[in-house]
């Protein structure tokens, strides 16, 4: 076997960008937009389930773009 050949698995890549912070209200990672459950189960999921989640992730981005009111909102809590 040639040293230039790299074996790769045919799997859906992880959307992780190593910015692992869970949004306190939406309960999704601000980096990859997955839920804690999805992150935990990712390596055990079937490729079809991973693909379905990957397709859904862009629709979650607006959940994190909402302004929460900054300092004023925190003071009212």
């Amino acid at each position: 076997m040639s040293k230039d050949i790299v074996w790769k698995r045919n799997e859906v890549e992880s959307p992780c960008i190593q910015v692992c912070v869970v949004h306190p209200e939406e309960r999704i990672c601000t980096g990859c937009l997955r839920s804690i459950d999805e992150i935990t189960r990712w390596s055990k999921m079937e490729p079809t389930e991973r693909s379905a989640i990957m397709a859904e992730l862009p629709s979650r981005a607006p959940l994190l773009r909402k302004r929460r009111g900054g300092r004023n909102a925190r003071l009212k809590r």
Side-chain angles (χ1 to χ4, degrees):
M1 184 179 250
S2 171
K3 290 183 180 182
D4 297 332
I5 297 174
V6 177
W7 181 79
K8 292 185 179 184
R9 295 180 355 175
N10 187 20
E11 291 185 3
V12 176
E13 294 290 326
S14 169
C16 181
I17 60 168
Q18 298 181 357
V19 177
C20 305
V21 177
V22 177
H23 188 279
E25 293 172 6
E26 299 299 333
R27 308 298 299 157
I28 59 176
C29 176
T30 60
C32 68
L33 304 175
R34 293 179 293 171
S35 70
I36 296 299
D37 179 59
E38 291 166 343
I39 293 168
T40 303
R41 295 184 315 104
W42 191 261
S43 63
K44 295 175 181 78
M45 288 181 185
E46 293 294 323
T48 53
E49 187 177 6
R50 288 186 195 164
S51 293
I53 291 169
M54 291 290 285
E56 185 183 320
L57 294 178
S59 69
R60 298 179 186 180
L63 296 173
L64 303 183
R65 290 195 187 114
K66 290 189 271 185
R67 293 189 54 93
R68 297 191 319 252
R71 183 173 183 271
N72 263 349
R74 285 192 304 276
L75 293 175
K76 290 178 184 176
R77 288 184 187 173

